[in-house]
Amino acid sequence: MSPSYPLPYPTGLNCSWQFIADAGQAIEITFEVVNLTEPNAISRICTDTLKVFDGSSPIRPFCGSAPGWPRAPTRFLSVSNQLTVRMETDNVEEGGTGFLASYRQVAPRTEHIVAIGVEPPAIIRFDRFRAQGVPAIPLNPRSMRPSAVGFDPIDMVFYYTDIGSQSPHIGRIGDNGGGHEIIVDREISYPLGIVVGYLTGLVYWTDAVRNEVSVSRLDGSFRKTLIPEGSGCTSPQGIELSSDQLHLFWTCRNSIERAKADGTERMTLVSETLTATSLAIDHGNELLYWTNVNRGTIERINLDGSGREFIFSHEVFAQSHGFIVEDGVLFWSDRVEKRLLFVPLDTGFIHGISQVMPRSLEGLYYYKSDRLIAGTHQCSDNICSQLCFPDGLAFKCAEVTPLISDCPNDITNSTERYSTIFWKEPTAVARSTGATPTPLSYESRSHAPGSLFFVGTTRVTYRFTDDVGNTAECAFNIVLDLIIPTTKPRTTSRAPTRPPTTRARPSTTKVPSPTTQLQSPTTQPHSSTTDAHSPSGEYVLYVIIGASVIVLTVIIATIVCIACRCGCCVCTLRRNGRENHISNDYGMTNVRPTPPPPYSQQAEQGTNNPGFYAQGLYAGGDRSTYYEKADF
């Protein structure tokens, strides 16, 4: 206590009190009473002051009555293990009664209010024991208009919403400024409220343009719309969770509603609120507070909707946005005055806290390091594959990805090269909006029924995506095995190989006429077992056709030889290595026949099997003309 307390303190004081805690501990000092001379009404200069130092660093000087933030008594907590209090007075006149304080050694902790600041976007920290807002964590350059903030005390991560017209989104950043990422930026328009369900690893938010209340995992996956558009709630803004996180509360344009954490058992707690905007829960007393910007009031009810009560009315509440309740004190951000305001419930006096760098403030969160939770989220051990909601003393799992029906099994077939495959296409329903699944068309597919598939294995996929980005995939294989054709063995019904013949003489060789009438198959008996030494009717047919082709080939070759104007010409006719030399009237003899081209060359010329060809040999050089084979 100050000298002479509770009597007026003397003039000309310069007193110091130093407190030292054990290594690794901190000092907490609580001022029960502070009564100093008020500052000069014109110059605002303090003649009598009380200063608090954390080690050698000044925490804050003040004069007059203690600021009472968040309410009297005023507390200070050191970061180091040393804390010093210094009192200085002038020599002019006696002052007030001085101060009365107590102190204790405590474990180090952090306690401050976190606010979202804009211009530029950042997280602002108002230290609980220093009463001044300082920029702490700059946000990503993509952030244009951050709005609301929440906190996960397990992973030590802040979550915030951004309502910038170019890229509205939900992001998160560690309390040390690291790990910044955007987790939701699809199908989102104007997210004004956010709350973190850290027990089960969920984040909830409102969208005032889409008229929705949504939830997802902390990384933005497995998103579900709990309160869809058209369900009776317009322009939702504030949102809160109960202490046990079993119930969710949110504001609509003219009402306040409640539901279980999974969106079921929805009910209206308050109607005709005339634009309730911000919500806050006093977790110690289980009371729900809200601000009404049209009336400039603050009201409250019990969490079951009973006991509606009017608390304060003031024009400053019409400018409020961020709104929290802690230790019997209401805090809110003022966008016009660019500062943090608070009012103790027991006094009703409004106080303000300035910033080092004034900027507009939005959402608030009360941060206490002793509330941090060591461990993991209760649904982090794969209790649920997608979303996990608290349900009494247990948990309820929710599947939100599209539900696919009639996804085909693998299809197996055989083919020589390729085949056309048909199947029944799968269907799906979306489970991300409300309680009733809605039909969903596929977003993409790799193949359509009736597509052509080649030998091998081909993966066929269908992808379904709902309106909030949840995806599911149907996949199956088309397996085509290769059919290897077997070679048909030769039978004795094929005509026997003719022995090589000598050069044929035109005058003595008798060629059957191409117009020779074939015998009827009935005139020649045919046995099912063909003897290789007795030609069948099929062999006779082959002989007649071959002879006709030979006659035509000889005629064409003769015409070619005459047309060449050569001194001599010999046309050589070959079939499968057998030669027939036809001499013309010019007397050329001893012409050496040219061997047939290899089978590979025949294949390049369009011939897959040996056949007939004609070759003319001229005195002036070799010129070869190949005629289309007669295949038999």
Side-chain angles (χ1 to χ4, degrees):
M1 67 180 68
S2 59
S4 304
Y5 183 86
L7 299 176
Y9 55 81
T11 61
L13 288 178
N14 187 354
C15 301
S16 294
W17 295 263
Q18 186 177 31
F19 308 93
I20 301 176
D22 296 337
Q25 297 294 299
I27 299 295
E28 181 185 80
I29 186 168
T30 302
F31 290 89
E32 304 289 345
V33 177
V34 176
N35 188 312
L36 303 177
T37 302
E38 294 295 331
N40 185 281
I42 299 176
S43 65
R44 306 301 300 172
I45 295 177
C46 293
T47 57
D48 297 344
T49 61
L50 189 64
K51 299 177 181 179
V52 181
F53 295 84
D54 184 355
S56 59
S57 301
I59 293 179
R60 177 190 172 190
F62 56 90
C63 61
S65 298
W69 183 72
R71 61 176 175 174
T74 302
R75 290 182 299 161
F76 291 96
L77 180 70
S78 69
V79 175
S80 66
N81 68 331
Q82 298 184 27
L83 188 142
T84 301
V85 176
R86 182 179 299 167
M87 181 177 182
E88 298 177 352
T89 64
D90 61 12
N91 296 312
V92 177
E93 59 181 348
E94 282 188 341
T97 57
F99 69 88
L100 176 66
S102 61
Y103 64 93
R104 61 175 180 157
Q105 176 177 290
V106 297
R109 71 177 188 273
T110 303
E111 186 174 342
H112 52 249
I113 294 177
V114 171
I116 285 289
V118 297
E119 304 168 2
I123 291 179
I124 311 300
R125 186 180 66 202
F126 291 87
D127 196 299
R128 162 69 174 81
F129 303 108
R130 288 159 176 78
Q132 191 174 42
V134 295
I137 305 173
L139 297 180
N140 192 287
R142 183 175 170 182
S143 298
M144 303 299 294
R145 178 73 187 282
S147 178
V149 64
F151 185 67
D152 175 10
I154 295 178
D155 291 339
M156 305 282 287
V157 173
F158 290 105
Y159 289 77
Y160 69 92
T161 66
D162 194 294
I163 57 177
S165 59
Q166 296 182 352
S167 59
H169 62 267
I170 294 175
R172 64 180 179 179
I173 189 170
D175 69 338
N176 59 358
H180 188 277
E181 63 178 324
I182 294 173
I183 61 171
V184 176
D185 60 358
R186 174 174 176 168
E187 302 300 329
I188 190 169
S189 299
Y190 209 69
L192 283 176
I194 191 170
V195 64
V196 178
Y198 54 85
L199 292 180
T200 52
L202 301 176
V203 57
Y204 298 81
W205 68 91
T206 59
D207 193 317
V209 170
R210 294 172 61 89
N211 299 317
E212 295 175 348
V213 178
S214 302
V215 65
S216 76
R217 279 189 174 183
L218 293 176
D219 60 0
S221 63
F222 301 115
R223 176 176 167 184
K224 182 177 179 63
T225 303
L226 299 178
I227 309 300
E229 185 175 17
S231 63
C233 178
T234 58
S235 190
Q237 296 189 36
I239 187 168
E240 275 288 349
L241 276 169
S242 58
S243 300
D244 54 13
Q245 300 186 10
L246 289 174
H247 291 95
L248 184 69
F249 303 83
W250 67 93
T251 67
C252 302
R253 184 182 299 276
N254 292 308
S255 63
I256 297 175
E257 298 188 8
R258 187 189 78 174
K260 296 187 70 174
D262 62 353
T264 60
E265 299 183 15
R266 178 182 172 188
M267 64 180 295
T268 299
L269 295 181
V270 180
S271 59
E272 299 180 359
T273 60
L274 297 179
T275 315
T277 54
S278 301
L279 283 181
I281 290 182
D282 180 353
H283 295 286
N285 298 302
E286 297 293 312
L287 295 172
L288 178 67
Y289 290 79
W290 72 91
T291 60
N292 190 316
V293 296
N294 285 347
R295 293 177 175 175
T297 60
I298 292 179
E299 299 180 63
R300 70 183 179 191
I301 55 172
N302 297 315
L303 296 186
D304 61 0
S306 63
R308 183 174 179 177
E309 184 179 3
F310 172 83
I311 303 299
F312 295 120
S313 177
H314 197 284
E315 59 183 8
V316 297
F317 299 130
Q319 304 296 333
S320 65
H321 180 61
F323 183 53
I324 56 176
V325 182
E326 185 67 31
D327 291 334
V329 181
L330 304 179
F331 299 85
W332 67 96
S333 58
D334 191 295
R335 285 180 267 188
V336 175
E337 296 190 13
K338 298 183 179 181
R339 61 177 182 161
L340 181 68
L341 300 178
F342 67 92
V343 53
L345 290 173
D346 55 356
T347 66
F349 292 108
I350 298 175
H351 305 269
I353 309 171
S354 61
Q355 302 181 68
V356 174
M357 298 174 59
R359 67 189 75 192
S360 296
L361 299 175
E362 296 288 341
L364 302 178
Y365 178 82
Y366 202 102
Y367 177 97
K368 280 187 173 182
S369 62
D370 55 3
R371 289 180 180 171
L372 302 181
I373 301 172
T376 60
H377 303 286
Q378 296 184 30
C379 280
S380 62
D381 297 329
N382 297 321
I383 295 177
C384 299
S385 61
Q386 296 184 20
L387 294 184
C388 177
F389 296 102
D391 186 25
L393 299 178
F395 300 96
K396 177 189 295 185
C397 298
E399 307 293 324
V400 298
T401 54
L403 178 63
I404 299 177
S405 302
D406 301 324
C407 185
N409 296 321
D410 291 351
I411 300 174
T412 303
N413 207 340
S414 300
T415 182
E416 292 185 359
R417 187 178 179 187
Y418 52 80
S419 183
T420 300
I421 305 297
F422 292 86
W423 62 84
K424 180 182 178 181
E425 293 195 284
T427 59
V429 293
R431 299 182 290 178
S432 61
T433 302
T436 304
T438 56
L440 189 65
S441 300
Y442 62 80
E443 181 184 40
S444 62
R445 63 181 180 185
S446 61
H447 301 78
S451 297
L452 199 64
F453 294 86
F454 288 85
V455 170
T457 300
T458 304
R459 188 76 165 171
V460 177
T461 59
Y462 283 78
R463 184 181 180 87
F464 296 86
T465 303
D466 60 25
D467 60 342
V468 294
N470 297 314
T471 62
E473 186 176 273
C474 162
F476 58 95
N477 295 319
I478 303 294
V479 182
L480 294 184
D481 297 326
L482 175 65
I483 298 178
I484 302 177
T486 58
T487 304
K488 183 179 181 180
R490 292 184 178 182
T491 63
T492 57
S493 62
R494 187 177 181 88
T497 304
R498 297 174 60 185
T501 60
T502 59
R503 293 182 179 177
R505 296 185 180 184
S507 58
T508 61
T509 303
K510 185 176 181 179
V511 180
S513 171
T515 60
T516 302
Q517 181 69 35
L518 299 178
Q519 293 184 359
S520 171
T522 59
T523 62
Q524 179 69 28
H526 180 71
S527 173
S528 60
T529 303
T530 305
D531 188 351
H533 300 286
S534 58
S536 64
E538 181 181 5
Y539 173 72
V540 173
L541 176 61
Y542 285 161
V543 171
I544 294 174
I545 295 175
S548 301
V549 174
I550 292 173
V551 171
L552 291 175
T553 304
V554 170
I555 294 173
I556 294 172
T558 302
I559 294 173
V560 172
C561 289
I562 295 172
C564 292
R565 300 178 182 179
C566 300
C568 59
C569 179
V570 175
C571 292
T572 302
L573 183 66
R574 292 183 184 168
R575 179 183 182 276
N576 296 332
R578 298 187 298 275
E579 304 175 1
N580 286 312
H581 292 267
I582 305 174
S583 301
N584 58 20
D585 296 334
Y586 297 99
M588 184 173 180
T589 59
N590 298 324
V591 178
R592 184 176 183 178
T594 303
Y599 178 77
S600 61
Q601 295 182 14
Q602 296 180 33
E604 292 177 0
Q605 297 161 6
T607 306
N608 294 325
N609 297 302
F612 284 104
Y613 66 93
Q615 186 181 62
L617 300 180
Y618 300 93
D622 280 350
R623 294 183 180 177
S624 299
T625 303
Y626 291 90
Y627 296 88
E628 184 179 355
K629 74 182 181 68
D631 194 5
F632 57 78

